[in-house]
Amino acid sequence: LVVMNDAIKTDTCGAYIRAMLADDFVGLSTPEPIFDMQSIPAKYMTAEMKTFRNILYVEMSDTINMEGVRFYNDYWATPQAFISVRAKNKTSLLSLLEENHIKIVSFLVKSERDRLIAFNRKAGSNSLGNDIKERYGISLVIPNTFSKCNPKNAEDMSWIQIDTDESQCGMFVYSYDYTSEECFTKEYILNHRDKLLRDNVEGPNG
């Protein structure tokens, strides 16, 4: 939720905020925005709106004494990420947004990730997590909505997955021996992954 008055929303500062929050999420195979954005003027900031989990509150007025960007956790609700941006004029506001672009996005992304981690810890599957820990010596919190799948050769890797009507989300865990520094090159890693999946995971017919 972005709280900003129309003077900000319809100007270059508003455009900058929209572009900042709708930037592509790095690492996905298809372009998707980092955040979905809803904006309202400050006068419509009701008690219900104060329960949003992510709030960017933007103020611009020549009466503001202390300009700057400040970050808060659980400002009006729990869990909540709250960012206050205060500036005297458009020039100062745009400068603050540009200088703090990475901090603003990173704070919101980390807050989302922390919430997801906390939720998954409560709904974790002990059996799947224990299986991974015993086999690979690593600890993973795996949601109990995932289930164990069977690769063609169970010795090659572990495979867990969740299916919905809209998507299929899977995770593969495997290890291989270190023989040289080549093991850490992008080409080696991708080729090894591709061979494992080609040998163990069937795709749709044809």
Side-chain angles (χ1 to χ4, degrees):
L1 177 68
V2 179
V3 183
M4 57 181 171
N5 293 330
D6 290 342
I8 301 172
K9 182 178 180 179
T10 58
D11 196 62
T12 51
C13 294
Y16 188 91
I17 291 171
R18 286 190 294 275
M20 175 175 64
L21 298 179
D23 198 8
D24 288 345
F25 205 107
V26 176
L28 299 182
S29 56
T30 56
E32 289 187 31
I34 303 175
F35 296 104
D36 295 323
M37 176 184 143
Q38 179 179 339
S39 65
I40 60 169
K43 63 182 179 181
Y44 294 126
M45 194 62 185
T46 62
E48 182 180 355
M49 290 296 184
K50 289 181 179 180
T51 63
F52 267 68
R53 67 178 187 264
N54 296 317
I55 299 176
L56 177 61
Y57 202 105
V58 186
E59 298 174 88
M60 183 179 68
S61 171
D62 56 9
T63 62
I64 288 176
N65 294 323
M66 189 168 297
E67 297 182 298
V69 179
R70 289 171 179 78
F71 303 85
Y72 303 92
N73 288 307
D74 306 336
Y75 191 79
W76 279 318
T78 301
Q80 184 181 75
F82 184 94
I83 303 172
S84 168
V85 183
R86 307 180 83 232
K88 289 180 177 292
N89 51 55
K90 295 177 182 178
T91 302
S92 180
L93 177 57
L94 187 59
S95 178
L96 283 172
L97 291 170
E98 290 173 344
E99 291 171 7
N100 292 276
H101 181 131
I102 294 176
K103 287 183 180 179
I104 291 171
V105 173
S106 297
F107 182 74
L108 294 172
V109 169
K110 183 179 184 301
S111 297
E112 285 289 295
R113 186 167 59 241
D114 288 346
R115 288 187 202 104
L116 186 60
I117 290 171
F119 174 80
N120 284 338
R121 285 194 188 283
K122 292 179 182 179
S125 168
N126 289 330
S127 61
L128 291 175
N130 290 340
D131 183 59
I132 297 294
K133 188 171 185 177
E134 289 175 12
R135 186 166 177 182
Y136 302 98
I138 58 176
S139 297
L140 293 176
V141 177
I142 302 170
N144 56 20
T145 48
F146 279 75
S147 58
K148 187 174 182 179
C149 297
N150 298 311
K152 288 184 179 179
N153 185 355
E155 297 299 315
D156 284 350
M157 64 181 190
S158 296
W159 173 13
I160 60 172
Q161 187 165 288
I162 179 172
D163 294 328
T164 69
D165 293 337
E166 299 175 349
S167 65
Q168 184 182 65
C169 178
M171 181 170 71
F172 307 102
V173 183
Y174 55 87
S175 64
Y176 53 88
D177 293 335
Y178 170 80
T179 55
S180 71
E181 289 188 7
E182 183 189 6
C183 292
F184 296 117
T185 63
K186 180 179 179 180
E187 183 179 17
Y188 188 98
I189 291 171
L190 294 181
N191 285 341
H192 188 83
R193 178 204 64 184
D194 291 346
K195 183 181 186 308
L196 273 178
L197 301 188
R198 186 168 53 247
D199 292 346
N200 287 282
V201 181
E202 292 186 0
N205 293 331

